[in-house]
Amino acid sequence: MVYGLLNLGSIIFGLAGLAIPLIVFLKKTEPAKGYMFLMGSLVLCMAAVFLQLCYGNHLVEIEDWTALMDTSGAVVGLSGKLILSTITLVAAAFWRTGRRER
């Protein structure tokens, strides 16, 4: 397995997870479809964090402690920011989609 692709996949999933709520928030979509997209956004966010965990596990398995120590702080910080911003954007899009139903 090419473990460098775990980082690339994590970036792609994270950006897609952030883009979907923005699109739902700005575009007029029917509520049922919007809710499905927003749930997909949360799944993409979880997948991005999971891929980072897999990469960290790979570093432990090959005993590359210096790489693990160098990247662990950034991974934790960015994963937390990704989760927080995705939840905030999804909540705002849920609120806006719910207001469109009325």
Side-chain angles (χ1 to χ4, degrees), residues 39-58:
M39 295 307 294
S41 171
L42 293 173
V43 169
L44 286 170
C45 178
M46 289 186 290
V49 173
F50 177 73
L51 289 177
Q52 284 301 309
L53 289 171
C54 289
Y55 186 70
N57 184 51
H58 166 68

Side-chain angles (χ1 to χ4, degrees), residues 18 21 78 80-91:
L18 288 174
L78 289 175
K81 289 174 184 156
L82 174 67
I83 292 169
L84 183 64
S85 58
T86 302
I87 290 173
T88 303
L89 288 172
V90 167

Side-chain angles (χ1 to χ4, degrees), residues 10-88:
S10 178
I11 291 169
I12 291 170
F13 286 164
L15 291 175
L18 288 174
I20 289 173
L22 287 173
I23 292 168
V24 171
F25 187 79
L26 297 174
K27 190 176 181 184
K28 292 183 179 180
T29 59
E30 61 184 66
K33 189 182 250 186
Y35 293 146
M36 291 300 292
F37 281 129
L38 293 174
M39 295 307 294
S41 171
L42 293 173
V43 169
L44 286 170
C45 178
M46 289 186 290
V49 173
F50 177 73
L51 289 177
Q52 284 301 309
L53 289 171
C54 289
Y55 186 70
N57 184 51
H58 166 68
L59 292 177
V60 169
E61 286 176 354
I62 64 171
E63 298 180 6
D64 191 355
W65 306 119
T66 55
L68 188 63
M69 288 187 292
D70 287 344
T71 60
S72 66
V75 168
V76 169
L78 289 175
S79 295
K81 289 174 184 156
L82 174 67
I83 292 169
L84 183 64
S85 58
T86 302
I87 290 173
T88 303

